Each structure stands twice: as C-alpha cells, then as structure tokens.
Amino acid sequence: MAVHQFPQHRAAFQALTDALSTVRVRREVEWNEIPAPSRLAPFTWAASAELIGDDDEEVASGKFIVLYDPAGNDSWQGDLRVVTLMQARLEPEFAVESMLGDVAWSWVTESLESMGASAHELGCTITRVVSQSYGALAARPTSVDVEIRASWTPDEHHLEPHFASWTQILAAAGGLPPRPVDLASARPPLRADDL
C-alpha cells in the first residue's frame, strides 16, 4: 500500500517522531536527524549520534531508526520497530575479554529497563574487531572496536524512553558511567488507533 493512502497515519507518525526532540540527553551526546531508509517500511525516521569524550574526540557513534507499518508486520510482532546501531573504540584490554558480548548485551537490556522502555522481539548482535598492526605499521597500538546492532518492537506508541535508552547504550559503549536521562515529555503515550 502506498504511503499516501495513510494521511492520518502520516500526521500521527510525525507527532510521534517530533516528540523525540524533547528527550534531554547527556551533554556528551550530539545527535541529528538524518535521512531514513525508505524501503524498510511505509514510514521511517532516523537519527545519528556521536559521543564526544573529554578531549573533544568521538568515542562512540550510532544510528536510531524508527520503522512504522500501519498494517503491522508479522516479523516485528507489531506495527512499530526500532533498529539501532552503536560503534565504539574500547580499551586494548578488551581484546582478550571473553565476556565482552555479555557485557554489551547487558548495556542494551539494562538501558531499556532503566528508562522504562517496554519492548518485545528484542534481538542483538555484538561484534568485536581487534586491529593489530605489523611491519612498517607496527608502532600503531592495538585497537579494539565493538559494534552493537539491536532492534526491538516497542510495547506502546511512546518512543521517548526508547530513544533515551539508545543514548544510554551509546554512553555505556563509550565508557561513560551510568547517569539518568530526563524524559522531558510528560505526554501520555499515543494509542494504537491514534496512528
């Protein structure tokens, strides 16, 4: 079905995503709305973020994508889906840390829980990349990067806690200590029939 057949859904989806700009994030997180992939769902929205360290260098980055299909999607078990990506440079000692995947998974689950972002169909892939240099490049230090790809279906049409959770995961991956995020919006969640 073409998107133009859902004019009432377009306005509600716009309100849903506009509310994300009310989420107060940590000062170290700088985010911007970006063009969203258009072929994944009738309605899409996306943001990218960078986590800036004390030395004004990027220590982590990520993307947050919202997909909405008014007809619902069987694989999502709902009509909304959040898709996220986070990448961060870690300390070299993580090169041999066998529990890194478990730790990164806990960043995802604990961030969702702490922000009250109720969801189902949560899935995650965690990839660790260790880069070692040899020969003429041997002076370069070993680097360790982690990539976290997570997606989930929100239990309600209220995305602010999910967006805040994403920024918390990004902060954890970037090595920042946990800190509460204010959800500035006090609006009640949109009902399914509002979309």
Side-chain angles (χ1 to χ4, degrees):
M1 248 184 225
V3 170
H4 70 280
Q5 294 177 337
F6 297 111
Q8 75 280 17
H9 298 296
R10 180 190 309 277
F13 183 72
Q14 184 71 47
L16 184 73
T17 55
D18 284 351
L20 299 179
S21 66
T22 68
V23 177
R24 294 185 191 137
V25 300
R26 294 176 70 130
R27 64 174 177 76
E28 300 94 343
V29 176
E30 297 178 1
W31 73 272
N32 298 304
E33 185 175 344
I34 60 172
S38 59
R39 295 183 180 183
L40 300 177
F43 298 92
T44 59
W45 183 90
S48 68
E50 296 177 345
L51 182 70
I52 307 301
D54 292 335
D55 56 0
D56 291 331
E57 299 251 340
E58 178 187 306
V59 294
S61 62
K63 292 183 181 173
F64 181 91
I65 302 168
V66 179
L67 308 176
Y68 173 54
D69 186 341
N73 184 304
D74 289 341
S75 65
W76 304 346
Q77 295 296 301
D79 56 6
L80 275 175
R81 188 76 175 161
V82 170
V83 179
T84 64
L85 168 69
M86 284 78 54
Q87 299 168 311
R89 175 72 41 99
L90 302 177
E91 297 298 322
E93 56 266 22
F94 280 102
V96 294
E97 177 53 66
S98 62
M99 300 292 289
L100 178 59
D102 295 333
V103 170
W105 171 243
S106 74
W107 296 337
V108 175
T109 58
E110 290 172 10
S111 293
L112 287 166
E113 183 179 336
S114 71
M115 297 312 303
S118 180
H120 59 281
E121 295 300 311
L122 172 61
C124 184
T125 301
I126 296 152
T127 305
R128 171 179 38 195
V129 177
V130 179
S131 300
Q132 294 177 289
S133 300
Y134 297 91
L137 302 177
R140 289 186 182 173
T142 297
S143 65
V144 182
D145 296 280
V146 65
E147 180 179 275
I148 304 167
R149 294 177 178 270
S151 61
W152 59 86
T153 299
D155 286 340
E156 57 189 10
H157 292 135
H158 184 51
L159 295 177
E160 290 97 318
H162 301 272
F163 190 79
S165 295
W166 168 65
T167 67
Q168 292 285 76
I169 300 164
L170 195 63
L176 298 182
R179 195 173 75 197
V181 172
D182 282 334
L183 297 179
S185 172
R187 290 185 302 281
L190 291 172
R191 297 176 312 232
D193 49 339
D194 290 334
L195 283 173

